[in-house]
């Protein structure tokens, strides 16, 4: 598929309808831009995050966030 869109002076663009349909994106969805060193960009839909789950995981990881651990794993 080839779709062309212009960029505004504010750096904004409209995602063409055919691209939105192909990605399955709707208003409020998030997309991610990945740009390779050769200048090729890839856009994909981002899966919604479960904020409650991620908060619980983050709380469990904090037990390893101390100066002793930083010292022990500094050279990895």
């Amino acid at each position: 598929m080839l779709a062309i869109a212009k960029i505004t002076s504010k750096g904004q663009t409209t995602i063409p309808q055919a691209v939105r349909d192909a990605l399955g994106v709707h208003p409020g969805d998030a997309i991610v831009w990945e740009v390779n060193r050769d200048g090729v960009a890839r856009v994909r839909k981002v899966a919604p995050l479960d904020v409650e789950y991620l908060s619980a995981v983050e709380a469990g990881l904090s037990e390893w966030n101390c100066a002793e651990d930083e010292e022990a794993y500094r050279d990895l």
Side-chain angles (χ1 to χ4, degrees):
M1 167 192 323
L2 178 64
I4 298 174
K6 290 184 179 182
I7 299 174
T8 69
S9 61
K10 293 183 179 183
Q12 299 171 333
T13 188
T14 299
I15 302 171
Q17 184 65 51
V19 175
R20 293 193 311 261
D21 291 344
L23 294 175
V25 295
H26 304 283
D29 288 345
I31 57 173
V32 63
W33 293 84
E34 297 172 313
V35 182
N36 296 335
R37 287 185 179 153
D38 60 0
V40 174
R42 187 174 127 182
V43 181
R44 62 184 171 85
K45 182 178 180 178
V46 175
L49 299 175
D50 184 340
V51 176
E52 188 175 319
Y53 170 76
L54 293 175
S55 295
V57 169
E58 181 182 28
L61 295 176
S62 65
E63 68 186 69
W64 294 319
N65 189 16
C66 66
E68 291 81 9
D69 286 335
E70 289 295 327
E71 176 67 24
Y73 297 110
R74 179 180 20 180
D75 296 327
L76 292 181

